[in-house]
Amino acid sequence: MAGGRVFCIGNGESRRDYNLQNLRQYGKIYGCNGLYRDFIPDVLCSVDHGMMHEVYHSGLASKIPCYFRDWTKVPAMMYNDMIRGGFNEEDANKHLEDILVTNTRQGAKEFVLHGANLKGIVEMIARNGPNYKKNVNHSTIKVSWITEDDKSHSLVDVMVDEDGDKTTPKDHGWSCGPTAGYVAVKREQPKEVFLIGQDLLSATKFINNMYKSTKHYTASQNGPTPAVNWIRQWYTLFRWNPDIKFYKVNQFNDGRDAVNSPIEEWENNKKLPNVEYISYSTLDNMLVL
């Protein structure tokens, strides 16, 4: 509903003990990447090829709208030519057995493909040995056969050139959190957007993510992911939408650590009157008013 509330859920650890189910009655819920493993939002966004195909293979895009990067649906008749990469059918199938990640075709008329050329992957494996095969992002070809009840979309279905004519499709190349925020703003035209689990920073010397050390996520012993792009991208979304109030929801919002403190780069710019920091307890109180 235009003019309502949107909750944009990231996967920062500050949301670990917060019951997202309680939000359903108060607005639309937009989620990022692995959130679907534990909670089904109203809309899910993903921008990483591996995660996008994981989401699609799970069947989620048959249930709710999903927005993906570079999500180009290709007629099924083109599959063999695209997938074989110059190999004959017998040789192609022999290699694809190890490196093809796909769902069941079941008569699908379209598919989406991401990954390197089959011939290139085979040559790299031959050159670098088994270690290369361990890098799933570079040594696999990912295919999703499009189901009849498909609700998946490309980001360019909603993303446009905001600093240009505002009509030309343009993927801004943003990370998943700000991308989900953008999609939510375009689809829902809300009055308020609440950033939940969009921690941006880490309170420790390790990565801050609910799904660390799981498939398609960074290992838990790694240092924090640099936040500069997230911070800039959210700032841009705030600037493009001055009539929408954005609330960054922190667990405590008392300055005890980086996660519970204002974002310095936003604070240094006095042109963000539409951004406010609140705690989870404040959020709960706002919702029942």
Side-chain angles (χ1 to χ4, degrees):
M1 179 179 68
R5 287 170 168 161
V6 164
F7 305 99
C8 191
I9 314 300
N11 296 320
E13 295 174 60
S14 72
R15 71 165 178 82
R16 184 181 303 280
D17 298 320
Y18 191 78
N19 188 350
L20 299 176
Q21 193 67 36
N22 291 339
L23 300 174
R24 289 202 187 276
Q25 61 183 309
Y26 299 110
K28 292 292 186 178
I29 302 175
Y30 280 63
C32 300
N33 294 322
L35 172 67
Y36 86 96
R37 298 175 183 174
D38 305 303
F39 177 86
I40 306 301
D42 294 301
V43 178
L44 188 93
C45 296
S46 184
V47 298
D48 172 78
H49 291 169
M51 178 57 70
M52 285 158 30
H53 288 275
E54 176 191 318
V55 170
Y56 202 89
H57 296 176
S58 77
L60 187 72
S62 294
K63 302 173 183 176
I64 65 170
C66 294
Y67 284 80
F68 301 134
R69 171 157 292 145
D70 303 325
W71 195 252
T72 303
K73 297 168 187 176
V74 181
M77 68 180 69
M78 300 179 64
Y79 178 75
N80 286 334
D81 289 340
M82 290 182 66
I83 203 74
R84 289 178 187 171
F87 288 97
N88 61 45
E89 182 176 3
E90 181 178 354
D91 288 341
N93 289 339
K94 178 177 64 176
H95 295 302
L96 287 169
E97 185 175 346
D98 292 328
I99 62 178
L100 178 63
V101 178
T102 185
N103 57 345
T104 305
R105 181 169 180 173
Q106 295 182 331
K109 298 178 181 180
E110 294 179 305
F111 68 96
V112 174
L113 181 151
H114 292 104
N117 176 274
L118 175 60
K119 184 177 181 180
I121 292 178
V122 171
E123 290 176 349
M124 288 298 293
I125 292 174
R127 203 177 305 140
N128 296 280
N131 287 336
Y132 184 78
K133 295 180 70 173
K134 294 179 181 178
N135 189 333
V136 68
N137 285 326
H138 293 98
S139 62
T140 60
I141 295 174
K142 294 162 279 289
V143 170
S144 285
W145 290 100
I146 303 302
T147 61
E148 288 187 6
D149 51 1
D150 172 60
K151 296 179 177 63
S152 68
H153 304 271
S154 173
L155 289 176
V156 293
D157 291 345
V158 293
M159 275 194 164
V160 297
D161 184 1
E162 297 285 348
D163 290 320
D165 62 12
K166 300 186 186 301
T167 59
T168 302
K170 179 181 179 180
D171 183 344
H172 301 293
W174 288 359
S175 302
C176 194
T179 293
Y182 183 101
V183 175
V185 165
K186 288 297 183 181
R187 280 178 54 100
E188 309 297 337
Q189 301 176 41
K191 182 178 179 180
E192 298 175 318
V193 176
F194 294 84
L195 282 58
I196 298 175
Q198 305 283 352
D199 291 352
L200 306 182
L201 302 169
S202 177
T204 72
K205 64 179 180 179
F206 300 109
I207 186 172
N208 175 2
N209 193 285
M210 292 281 290
Y211 303 106
K212 57 191 177 185
S213 287
T214 66
K215 189 174 183 180
H216 300 127
Y217 280 92
T218 302
S220 59
Q221 65 267 28
N222 283 21
T225 303
V228 59
N229 286 334
W230 297 329
I231 291 171
R232 289 175 179 172
Q233 290 159 10
W234 276 114
Y235 169 79
T236 300
L237 187 64
F238 303 155
R239 178 174 60 83
W240 283 342
N241 296 278
D243 296 329
I244 297 176
K245 187 62 175 287
F246 293 87
Y247 295 92
K248 185 181 184 301
V249 184
N250 297 329
Q251 187 174 7
F252 303 107
N253 199 37
D254 58 5
R256 67 180 62 187
D257 54 39
V259 173
N260 289 286
S261 299
I263 301 301
E264 182 179 354
E265 291 87 343
W266 298 348
E267 292 300 293
N268 288 341
N269 192 312
K270 303 303 181 183
K271 298 179 181 179
L272 289 178
N274 58 333
V275 178
E276 184 176 334
Y277 304 90
I278 61 173
S279 65
Y280 281 113
S281 60
T282 301
L283 170 63
D284 290 340
N285 290 332
M286 290 176 65
L287 295 181
V288 297
L289 293 177

